[in-house]
Amino acid sequence: MVPSSQEAEKQMPAEPGQDLELKSWRCLVFYLCFYGFMAQLRPGESFITPYLLGPDKNFTREQVTNEITPVLSYCYLVVLVPVFLLTDYLRYKPVLVLQSLSYISVWLLLLLGRSVPHMQLMELFYSITMAARIAYSSYIFSLVRPARYQRMASYSRAATLLGVFTSSVLGQLLVTVGRVSFSTLNYISLGLLAFSLVLALFLKRPRRSLFFNRDAPVCRGAAPSELDRMNPDAKLGRALLEAWRDWTLVRMLRELGDNLRSPQLRLWSLWWVFNSAAYYLIVYYVHILWNVVHPTTDSTSVYNGGADAASTLLGAITSFSAGFVKVHWALWAKLVIAGVTAAQAALVFLMYSTNNIWLCYVAFVLFRGAYQFLVPIATFQIASSLSKELCALVFGVNTFLATVLKTIITLIVSDKRGLGLPVHSQFLVYFAYFLVLFGVYLLGAVLVVLQRFRASRRAPQPPELSPAKEKAMQMLSEQEGGLSSLQPEALPLASQEQNQQPEAKA
């Protein structure tokens, strides 16, 4: 008996090359996820602010708020573009090693530094680690086939979130249960970061990248003509012009200009810029606010790590749930954004006005969850109509513009060379900022609904029937079975009468 084709495929043993490739891919996935998990283990990160304000360093609240923390925004703006370009040009791995070295420098300065310039230098190295985060997310896509992008992205994202959550929980347990000092916690973080540096040294360096290290294009030009041989300067000029036009970044900028005509791309890119700027400012300064709301010298009563862990967990849940939201985004996107922005404004005002540290913790957790809910939606809406290269460029431009806006706000509101406001007053400014955004989004949503309503009113309506005609049509429909068998011409005649009615009205 001859087996069927499907049974034959099942009985056919797998090729050794395929087994080797699958095994290699699984090992690569495990190592990358393990590295992503270990790189997030910094249990002392949630307690940096109380460490700086405590007896170990003894900086004043004004120094931390108006002199040290603003440097982070300035340095991040300076290093963002160079690190982004170096990430692609050096093919990811060197930048990941640089990130690990910068993290080690941050914690060495935390432990050994004694002055404000030392802490400002620490913020410089921390900004490098923030700018280099794109290296890990881009690196994983350069090592696997496109068919495995989605699974790889989910694995790496899960590993990163699990690392952040574990780091926050571990730091909180060591402080509250183990009664470990902030200084000892930073030494533990330094040891874990040294181990992540060792892991980064053994990462595989890919052979290609997104922009600079692409596969060589196939030559589509014809053989050189006699004119080219006679005039080599003209040939060189044409070659340079074609190379400029074909350069990936220039080509993508032209495509980006064409795609900016899409209303959804503009809407979600603007949301990314304006919302992200204020979101990260609140993340930067909320630890200082917690110290104002709950000033204490007892480290065991500081629950910053627990708040960070809860916000990370809620952010992961809301990001996951956003994938199941079914909404007509072309119609309701602005209204959804307005609702989330209103909730963020209310939560920021609660953090500003409350004197209860637990309410402040809960407000921050919900604030981060609201932001993380819209991030995957914005990512999908931006990326759905773009190529992979163009999508990376759009996110890079959005991040850069958000950083510029964040730097401007920092210079005006936080820096001592500007207004130099205390942290409580800063949160009042951020509340007004979100309130203005809510008003703009709500106005846009109302305009969209009104436009749709007017368009539906202008649409041609079906002709109205007189009561006698409606009754006759009802009787015909009830007797449709019998009339169709006895008088087959009745139904077409009725339809002819109906078609004649609008002509008579016309």
Side-chain angles (χ1 to χ4, degrees), residues 50 53-56 58 175 182 291 294-302:
L53 296 173
D56 292 306
N58 204 27
V175 169
F182 293 148
N291 185 267
H294 182 62
T296 179
T297 56
D298 183 13
S299 61
T300 59
S301 63
V302 178

Side-chain angles (χ1 to χ4, degrees), residues 79-358:
V79 303
L80 179 61
V81 175
V83 171
F84 174 77
L85 296 176
L86 285 175
T87 297
D88 193 88
Y89 184 74
L90 299 177
R91 289 175 290 165
Y92 310 114
K93 179 181 175 178
V95 177
L96 290 174
V97 175
L98 174 65
Q99 184 187 42
S100 298
L101 290 173
S102 299
Y103 269 128
I104 292 175
S105 301
V106 167
W107 259 263
L108 284 175
L109 286 168
L110 270 176
L111 291 168
L112 304 178
R114 294 293 175 184
S115 63
V116 171
H118 290 158
M119 296 302 104
Q120 292 174 335
L121 183 61
M122 179 266 295
E123 296 286 12
L124 169 63
F125 283 110
Y126 194 82
S127 67
I128 295 175
T129 67
M130 292 176 58
R133 289 174 185 174
I134 192 176
Y136 178 70
S137 58
S138 304
Y139 172 78
I140 60 177
F141 294 114
S142 64
L143 295 176
V144 298
R145 293 182 297 170
R148 291 172 174 158
Y149 279 176
Q150 185 174 358
R151 292 175 61 186
M152 196 65 203
S154 63
Y155 293 157
S156 62
R157 175 69 173 168
T160 302
L161 289 176
L162 183 61
V164 174
F165 178 78
T166 304
S167 175
S168 301
V169 172
L170 177 62
Q172 189 62 62
L173 290 176
L174 289 174
V175 169
T176 306
V177 180
R179 297 184 178 274
V180 174
S181 65
F182 293 148
S183 178
T184 304
L185 197 63
N186 286 323
Y187 278 109
I188 295 174
S189 301
L190 182 61
L192 292 171
L193 290 170
F195 179 67
S196 68
L197 172 62
V198 175
L199 293 177
L201 294 174
F202 289 95
L203 287 171
K204 179 181 178 182
R205 190 178 185 185
R207 291 175 294 180
R208 65 182 188 277
S209 61
L210 203 57
F211 300 120
F212 293 105
N213 302 285
R214 299 165 62 89
D215 295 331
V218 179
C219 182
R220 294 174 295 180
S225 62
E226 292 295 330
L227 184 61
D228 292 335
R229 295 171 183 170
M230 294 172 60
N231 191 358
D233 294 336
K235 177 183 176 182
L236 178 61
R238 283 198 300 272
L240 291 175
L241 181 60
E242 292 176 359
W244 170 256
R245 289 176 177 174
D246 292 337
W247 190 38
T248 304
L249 191 58
V250 175
R251 175 178 56 82
M252 288 193 301
L253 286 174
R254 294 202 306 266
E255 294 179 5
L256 179 59
D258 296 334
N259 282 277
L260 282 177
R261 300 171 185 172
S262 170
Q264 290 298 304
L265 178 61
R266 291 198 304 267
L267 171 65
W268 289 103
S269 294
L270 289 174
W271 174 86
W272 195 287
V273 171
F274 286 98
N275 205 290
S276 296
Y279 168 80
Y280 282 106
L281 284 173
I282 288 175
V283 171
Y284 293 168
Y285 287 95
V286 72
H287 290 81
I288 305 176
L289 179 69
W290 291 343
N291 185 267
V292 173
V293 174
H294 182 62
T296 179
T297 56
D298 183 13
S299 61
T300 59
S301 63
V302 178
Y303 290 92
N304 295 6
D308 288 338
S311 63
T312 301
L313 182 61
L314 182 62
I317 294 173
T318 54
S319 298
F320 180 77
S321 62
F324 298 92
V325 176
K326 303 297 181 183
V327 175
H328 186 198
W329 291 109
L331 180 60
W332 302 111
K334 292 180 181 178
L335 188 60
V336 172
I337 294 175
V340 174
T341 305
Q344 289 179 306
L347 293 169
V348 172
F349 184 77
L350 178 60
M351 285 187 276
Y352 160 76
S353 58
T354 186
N355 291 321
N356 188 320
I357 186 60
W358 293 105

Side-chain angles (χ1 to χ4, degrees), residues 7 10 27 41 52 63 79 85 146 166 168 188 233 328 350 358 374 387-388 402 437 470 478 483:
E7 293 176 352
K10 292 180 179 179
C27 293
L41 290 186
L52 294 177
Q63 287 176 320
V79 303
L85 296 176
T166 304
S168 301
I188 295 174
D233 294 336
H328 186 198
L350 178 60
W358 293 105
L374 286 183
S387 64
K388 183 178 68 174
L437 289 182
E470 289 182 359
E478 291 176 354
L483 291 175

